[in-house]
């Protein structure tokens, strides 16, 4: 018999688990449409690889992982992709997010599957790739992509399969363990193989699930491979023993340090549902397209567990369970302790939906008004993480985020035990969640501010560099001009001293300049013809202006107009003169071109 | 020499003090060179608390110049994007009383949006952007890189065709956060005193309150 440790704190809320365990796991009818959110967990959203209008087969890849912490999404049945659009998703905010909408065609036709008969022949990396490709995420409730957790850099000596299911009402894992124990054991063996066969492989179950415990123990005894390797451990029921860190403490006595991961202790923890999904993925090549979800609560006529296709609208599942909206006090996804109220029953079942709780009005009455904290200390006694809930509450109320972090707010697992025992009905977890959100937001804003500062500094540096380059260019141009002027001046001096001796650099410069000017100019005949044409036109204009002026004078026009015409005639005369001068200058060039150099 | 010093206590004291002064002077001089602080660390720390929108609403051309001004004694309440939170942090750092914000803080985060059909590609907004968050070239359409935009709205004014507007940043699932519950005092407001008897814990009371 294995030694069992205890966790600090914890509570014993009414279990309410028997209602949903009266019948075997059932399969609800096919819904009219399946809504598959691209993001079903913390991390990055998946990237769709199909378009609206595509026909897909059951198990076909619909969206690939969008990053390291991201899981693929597959078609839960064959059908038509009708749209990729924003739909309400199961989230406490009640917001919408991008979803792939699949209309089932009723044929439920599988795509090609490639299962592995003997996983022992495959390398852990190949198996890990298969798990990643199958889109398997933690089915315990958080939905963290499993492949990330199964490939830790540290060596692993303990694998723990979590069958605690400590939260009231939920029986999804219980029914799975009762009905599919052999598959869970096989999945556990695959996980152990991936983790290079850790020395200890444990399956932890609370003692309020005797049938599940027996089923698993028998399955281990009957399995030739698992016998002697897997140990099924029963421990006293206490909420929240199913928390990862709590279960590790119960089964190994080790506490995961603040801010560390179980892998730092050489421990990997996976849910029983995940082990089953891994078995389906490796042995049969089936991606994660369904999960077992508990539908319970007094507002439902038939309480039970369903093997639900992912994406099934919760409304459909409730309708199948005889849901009575009028008697429903609160519709919750998850359990009564850690779940959140659903604002919209159109939201679909996702990989993390372990329970739909439609509580009757007397089951979940509205919360009584919060009263002042009386410093009774019950919350500190109940806290499984050994925190100081009332200190956290004071600091959260005061908005003192620094002190909150100093009091290890981020070690709070939000189990709700403190709020459950609070005699003043203070919604403590809400305070912690809000404070955590605020701290995360501040951290995000700080990161963004640092990024903006860096960009601003780069911007300033770039402007300074551009300005420096411009100044340097201007300076270079100025120096070059000064040097050229100097050279020309010296060349001019040497020419003045002895004409015809225009040699060296200055002489070359002049020749080049003259050649350029000559090239720009047309031949002398053409120039002459052009100037003559210009003179003719100018004389014409002068004559006509003179004529108009004379006519106006004869008619006796008013002074203003006369002045204008006179000015025009004068202007035309000047232009004519100008053209004449130019023609004369061209006919008799006043100086030889070589002397032109002296003029500047 | 030693005898002379030993026989004149005044001389001995003088020698000892001068010797000590020389030694410590040398150590201090060495430390001043060896541990010289480049720049002003206070300015860096103030700058780290400013929101880095580079919007210039404080009257300085960017957050760093304002940080330098604060270090030089300017008021700490001139930063609307930082809001009261930044003032609180600055007051904590500088150990001064926390003044009220001068101006109005906007509650909603905004980013610039260019109506691309109307953009004529003049590049004026690109030159105005302090964090290079606008992409484009002369006579080609410009667009804002939303992830880089600090919402300073410095690009809005230079646009000759008024095609830039500040749009509130839509909330996504990633940045959604829980609201804080009402404090006990607040939630008790509007209740009659007999509703809040601490000894009354039956569920009927809860229903009555509801």
């Amino acid at each position: 018999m294995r030694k069992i440790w205890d966790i600090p704190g914890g509570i014993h809320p009414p279990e309410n688990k028997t209602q949903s365990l009266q019948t075997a796991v059932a399969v609800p009818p096919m819904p009219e449409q399946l809504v598959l959110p691209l993001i079903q967990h913390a991390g990055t959203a998946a990237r769709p690889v199909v378009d609206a209008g595509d026909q897909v087969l059951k198990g076909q890849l619909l969206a690939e992982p969008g990053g390291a912490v991201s899981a693929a999404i597959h078609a839960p049945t064959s059908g038509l992709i009708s749209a990729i659009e924003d739909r309400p998703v199961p989230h406490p905010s009640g917001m919408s997010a991008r979803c792939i909408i699949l209309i089932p065609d009723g044929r439920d036709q599988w795509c090609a599957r490639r299962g592995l008969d003997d996983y022992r022949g495959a390398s852990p990396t190949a198996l890990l790739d298969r798990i990643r490709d199958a889109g398997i995420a933690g089915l315990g409730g958080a939905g963290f992509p499993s492949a990330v957790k199964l490939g830790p850099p540290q060596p692993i000596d303990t694998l723990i399969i979590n069958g605690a299911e400590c939260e009231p009402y939920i029986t999804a894992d219980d029914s799975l363990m009762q009905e599919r124990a052999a598959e869970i054991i096989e999945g556990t063996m695959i996980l152990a193989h991936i983790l290079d066969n850790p020395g200890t492989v444990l399956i932890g179950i609370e003692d309020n699930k005797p049938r599940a415990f027996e089923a698993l123990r028998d399955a281990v005894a009957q399995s030739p491979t698992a016998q002697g390797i897997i140990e099924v451990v029963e421990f006293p029921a206490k909420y929240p023993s199913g928390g990862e860190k709590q279960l590790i403490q119960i089964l190994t006595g080790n506490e995961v340090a603040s801010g560390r991961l179980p892998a730092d202790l050489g421990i990997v923890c996976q849910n029983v549902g995940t082990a089953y999904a891994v078995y389906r993925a490796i042995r049969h090549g089936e991606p994660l397209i369904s999960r077992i979800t508990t539908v319970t609560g007094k507002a439902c006529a038939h309480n039970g567990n369903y093997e639900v296709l992912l994406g099934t609208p919760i409304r459909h599942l409730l309708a199948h369970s005889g849901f009575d909206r009028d008697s429903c006090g609160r519709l919750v996804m998850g359990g009564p302790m850690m779940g959140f109220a659903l604002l919209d029953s159109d939201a679909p079942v996702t990989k993390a939906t372990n329970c739909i709780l439609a509580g009757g009005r007397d089951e979940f009455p509205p919360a009584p008004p919060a009263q002042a904290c009386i410093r009774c200390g019950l919350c500190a006694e109940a806290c499984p993480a050994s925190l100081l809930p009332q200190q956290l509450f004071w600091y959260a109320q005061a908005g003192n985020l620094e002190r909150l972090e100093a009091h290890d707010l981020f070690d709070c697992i939000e189990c709700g035990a403190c709020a459950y025992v609070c005699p003043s009905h203070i919604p403590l977890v809400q305070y912690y969640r809000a404070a955590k959100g605020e701290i995360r937001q501040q951290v995000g804003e700080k990161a963004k501010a640092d990024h903006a500062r860096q960009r601003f500094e780069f911007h300033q540096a770039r402007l300074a560099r551009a300005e420096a380059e411009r100044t340097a260019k201007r300076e270079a141009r100025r120096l070059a001009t000064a040097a050229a002027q100097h050279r020309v001046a010296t060349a001019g001096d040497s020419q003045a001293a002895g004409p015809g001796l225009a040699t060296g650099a200055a002489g070359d410069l002049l020749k080049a300049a003259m050649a350029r000017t000559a090239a720009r100019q047309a031949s002398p005949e053409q120039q002459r013809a052009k100037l003559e044409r210009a003179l003719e036109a100018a004389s014409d204009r002068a004559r006509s202006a003179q004529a108009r002026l004379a006519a106006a004078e004869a008619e006796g026009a008013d002074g203003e107009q006369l002045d204008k015409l006179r000015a025009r005639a004068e202007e035309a005369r000047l232009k004519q003169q100008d053209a004449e001068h130019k023609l004369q200058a061209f006919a008799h060039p006043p100086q030889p071109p070589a002397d032109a150099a002296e003029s500047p | 020499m030693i005898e002379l010093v030993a026989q004149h206590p005044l001389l001995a004291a003088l020698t000892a003090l001068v010797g000590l002064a020389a030694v410590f002077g040398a150590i201090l001089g060495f430390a001043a060179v060896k541990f010289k602080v480049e720049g002003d660390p206070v300015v860096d720390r103030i700058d780290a608390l400013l929101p880095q929108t580079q919007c210039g609403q404080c009257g300085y051309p960017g957050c760093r110049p304002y940080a330098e001004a604060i270090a030089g004694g300017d008021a700490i309440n001139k930063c609307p994007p930082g809001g009261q939170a930044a003032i609180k942090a600055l007051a904590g750092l500088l150990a001064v009383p926390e003044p009220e914000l001068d101006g109005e803080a906007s509650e909603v985060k905004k980013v610039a949006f260019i109506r691309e059909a109307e953009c004529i590609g003049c590049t004026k907004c690109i030159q105005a952007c302090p964090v290079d968050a606008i992409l484009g070239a002369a006579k080609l359409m410009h667009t804002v890189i939303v992830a880089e935009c600090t919402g300073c709205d410095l690009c809005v004014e230079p646009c000759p065709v008024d095609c830039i507007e500040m749009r509130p940043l839509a909330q996504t699932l990633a940045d959604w956060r829980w609201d804080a519950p009402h404090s006990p005092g607040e939630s008790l407001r509007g209740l009659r005193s007999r509703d809040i008897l601490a000894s009354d814990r039956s569920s009927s009371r809860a229903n009555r309150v509801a």
Side-chain angles (χ1 to χ4, degrees):
Chain A
M1 193 63 201
R2 199 178 177 82
K3 182 172 164 34
I4 298 298
W5 280 264
D6 192 16
I7 49 166
I11 51 171
H12 293 93
E15 284 172 0
N16 281 310
K17 285 183 187 259
T18 45
Q19 303 95 307
S20 51
L21 281 172
Q22 302 305 315
T23 50
V25 174
V27 178
M30 185 69 77
E32 277 169 20
Q33 63 172 3
L34 295 166
V35 180
L36 298 148
L38 289 178
I39 183 151
Q40 307 193 3
H41 47 74
T44 336
R47 264 193 307 268
V49 293
V50 288
D51 274 323
D54 286 4
Q55 201 73 34
V56 295
L57 293 176
K58 185 176 185 173
Q60 190 179 326
L61 182 72
L62 297 185
E64 59 183 14
V69 182
S70 185
I73 295 165
H74 300 80
T77 184
S78 59
L80 176 80
I81 305 293
S82 71
I84 299 177
E85 60 186 20
D86 282 359
R87 287 289 182 96
V89 291
H91 191 269
S93 67
M95 287 204 288
S96 296
R98 203 121 280 236
C99 298
I100 298 176
I101 318 297
L102 173 67
I103 305 223
D105 60 8
R107 286 201 291 272
D108 210 26
Q109 189 184 354
W110 271 99
C111 65
R113 281 167 286 177
R114 42 180 197 107
L116 265 185
D117 283 336
D118 182 21
Y119 63 88
R120 276 162 212 287
S123 71
T125 355
L127 292 176
L128 211 53
D129 283 345
R130 274 171 177 259
I131 288 175
R132 183 176 294 117
D133 293 344
I136 294 178
L139 295 179
F144 191 79
S146 300
V148 184
K149 236 167 134 183
L150 286 170
Q154 302 92 334
I156 297 302
D157 57 24
T158 308
L159 169 64
I160 293 175
I161 301 298
N162 187 347
E165 199 165 56
C166 58
E167 202 164 348
Y169 286 96
I170 310 176
T171 55
D173 289 348
D174 194 356
S175 57
L176 182 79
M177 288 188 283
Q178 286 183 32
E179 292 183 24
R180 298 172 197 178
E183 288 94 330
I184 292 173
I185 297 300
E186 192 67 7
T188 307
M189 291 309 289
I190 297 172
L191 289 174
H193 178 66
I194 290 172
L195 294 167
D196 199 18
N197 294 312
T200 318
V201 182
L202 304 172
I203 299 181
I205 303 174
E206 276 191 345
D207 62 5
N208 59 1
K209 304 175 191 58
R211 282 194 290 173
F213 174 69
E214 273 165 34
L216 279 181
R217 203 185 47 196
D218 293 349
V220 171
Q222 281 158 18
S223 163
T225 50
Q227 215 171 355
I229 294 176
I230 298 180
E231 195 180 335
V232 186
V233 187
E234 202 178 25
F235 55 87
K238 171 157 109 174
Y239 179 83
S241 62
E244 190 176 54
K245 293 183 174 183
Q246 280 66 36
L247 184 64
I248 288 171
Q249 195 176 354
I250 288 170
L251 294 182
T252 69
N254 293 328
E255 273 189 76
V256 181
S258 172
R260 307 296 287 275
L261 294 172
D264 294 324
L265 290 176
I267 298 171
V268 163
C269 198
Q270 292 285 350
N271 180 263
V272 281
T274 315
Y276 176 72
V278 165
Y279 164 77
R280 301 297 308 178
I282 301 296
R283 186 69 177 74
H284 300 284
E286 290 174 11
L288 182 62
I289 53 169
S290 67
R291 67 155 299 140
I292 292 184
T293 297
T294 308
V295 180
T296 184
K298 281 189 185 165
C300 282
H302 322 292
N303 288 359
N305 284 290
Y306 295 97
E307 183 158 18
V308 190
L309 292 181
L310 299 178
T312 303
I314 287 168
R315 182 190 298 278
H316 175 81
L317 205 55
L318 288 173
H320 182 66
S321 319
F323 173 61
D324 177 18
R325 179 167 288 279
D326 296 331
S327 69
C328 180
R330 208 177 305 176
L331 184 62
V332 175
M333 187 181 120
M337 302 299 293
M338 295 186 71
F340 55 87
L342 280 174
L343 302 177
D344 194 334
S345 61
D346 277 333
V349 168
T350 65
K351 291 173 187 178
T353 311
N354 51 3
C355 180
I356 304 293
L357 181 50
R361 288 194 191 281
D362 54 335
E363 239 175 342
F364 291 105
Q371 296 171 38
C373 172
I374 54 168
R375 292 259 187 197
C376 64
L378 285 179
C379 48
E381 278 170 30
C383 182
S386 308
L387 300 177
L388 297 171
Q390 63 177 12
Q391 286 305 104
L392 292 173
F393 165 62
W394 290 117
Y395 289 129
Q397 264 196 317
N400 192 340
L401 304 182
E402 234 167 75
R403 295 303 298 159
L404 281 172
E405 278 191 272
H407 277 72
D408 299 311
L409 174 66
F410 280 92
D411 285 337
C412 170
I413 58 168
E414 301 176 18
C415 67
C418 50
Y420 181 81
V421 298
C422 180
S424 291
H425 311 294
I426 301 172
L428 292 163
V429 178
Q430 279 187 47
Y431 280 99
Y432 306 152
R433 279 177 172 162
K436 279 182 181 180
E438 208 172 326
I439 292 174
R440 284 199 195 98
Q441 191 190 13
Q442 280 197 358
V443 169
E445 271 172 15
K446 181 94 187 65
K448 199 169 179 226
D450 286 342
H451 185 67
R453 178 187 301 118
Q454 205 181 29
R455 285 182 75 85
F456 178 62
E457 279 163 10
F458 272 126
H459 176 84
Q460 298 291 82
R462 202 195 66 223
L463 290 188
R465 203 176 54 227
E467 184 55 41
E469 273 169 14
R470 263 201 302 279
T471 319
K473 249 185 209 161
R474 261 202 302 274
E475 186 65 9
R477 231 181 1 247
R478 200 180 59 76
L479 285 176
T481 321
Q485 274 172 356
H486 179 70
R487 277 202 299 271
V488 169
T490 36
D493 284 352
S494 65
Q495 270 179 5
L501 286 177
T503 50
D508 289 347
L509 218 67
L510 275 174
K511 272 179 200 157
M514 276 157 55
R516 274 202 303 278
T517 325
R520 265 207 303 276
Q521 284 171 353
S523 66
E525 289 77 27
Q526 278 174 342
Q527 277 185 48
R528 189 189 189 94
K530 201 173 165 189
L531 285 172
E532 276 169 356
R533 271 204 306 279
L535 177 60
E536 213 170 296
S539 325
D540 270 355
R541 271 197 295 277
R543 263 200 302 280
S544 67
Q546 202 67 44
R548 242 178 292 164
L549 177 63
E553 270 172 348
E555 274 175 33
D558 63 341
E560 201 182 322
Q561 205 180 356
L562 220 54
D563 282 348
K564 252 191 211 163
L565 284 170
R566 230 175 252 137
R568 250 180 233 161
E570 182 60 21
E571 201 186 325
R573 201 182 56 77
L574 282 174
K575 274 192 180 154
Q576 188 192 357
Q577 254 175 22
D578 198 35
E580 263 167 35
H581 283 313
K582 271 190 188 156
L583 190 60
Q584 267 169 17
F586 185 76
H588 312 285
Q591 48 197 348
D595 293 345
E598 281 179 289
S599 53
Chain B
M1 176 74 185
I2 293 172
E3 270 176 34
L4 181 79
V5 170
Q7 280 174 11
H8 293 84
L10 183 71
L11 212 58
L14 214 60
T15 320
L17 285 177
V18 169
L20 283 173
V23 169
F24 288 122
I27 292 173
L28 284 174
F30 171 75
V33 175
K34 175 82 178 171
F35 304 110
K36 188 169 163 44
V37 176
E38 294 289 340
D40 189 350
V42 177
V43 172
D44 280 338
R45 285 165 68 190
I46 296 171
D47 194 31
L49 296 178
L50 294 174
Q52 305 300 324
T53 45
Q54 320 294 353
C55 62
Q57 289 181 60
C58 52
Y60 296 94
C63 292
R64 177 121 199 137
Y66 181 44
E68 281 160 11
I70 291 176
D74 200 352
I76 60 171
N77 61 347
K78 295 183 175 177
C79 181
Q84 203 62 36
I87 292 175
K88 191 178 169 192
L90 285 169
L93 173 69
L94 302 170
V96 293
E98 189 185 323
E100 283 293 305
L101 178 67
D102 183 16
E104 256 178 55
S106 80
E107 284 299 302
V108 195
K109 284 240 172 305
K110 289 185 172 178
V111 287
F113 175 81
I114 296 180
R115 289 193 298 274
E116 292 170 351
E118 294 166 40
C119 174
I120 55 168
C122 68
T123 76
K124 282 197 171 127
C125 54
I126 296 182
Q127 288 157 33
C129 181
V131 291
D132 292 334
I134 303 181
L135 207 63
K139 294 188 179 168
L140 293 168
M141 184 195 78
H142 305 341
T143 196
V144 176
I145 309 169
V146 174
E148 308 289 2
C149 179
T150 62
C152 68
D153 86 4
L154 288 179
C155 52
V156 174
E157 200 270 319
C159 181
V161 290
D162 275 339
C163 72
I164 306 181
E165 58 188 85
M166 299 306 289
R167 287 193 174 177
L169 204 55
Q171 195 179 43
T172 62
L173 284 182
D175 57 20
W176 178 85
R177 59 194 183 93
W178 291 89
D179 287 329
H182 298 295
S183 64
E186 255 176 87
S187 61
L188 291 182
R189 227 166 278 153
L191 290 176
R192 284 157 301 177
S193 58
R194 65 182 172 84
D195 286 331
I196 52 172
L197 287 175
S199 55
D200 183 6
R201 290 206 57 182
S202 72
S203 59
S204 63
R205 191 194 104 243
N207 291 337
R208 196 173 70 230
V209 170

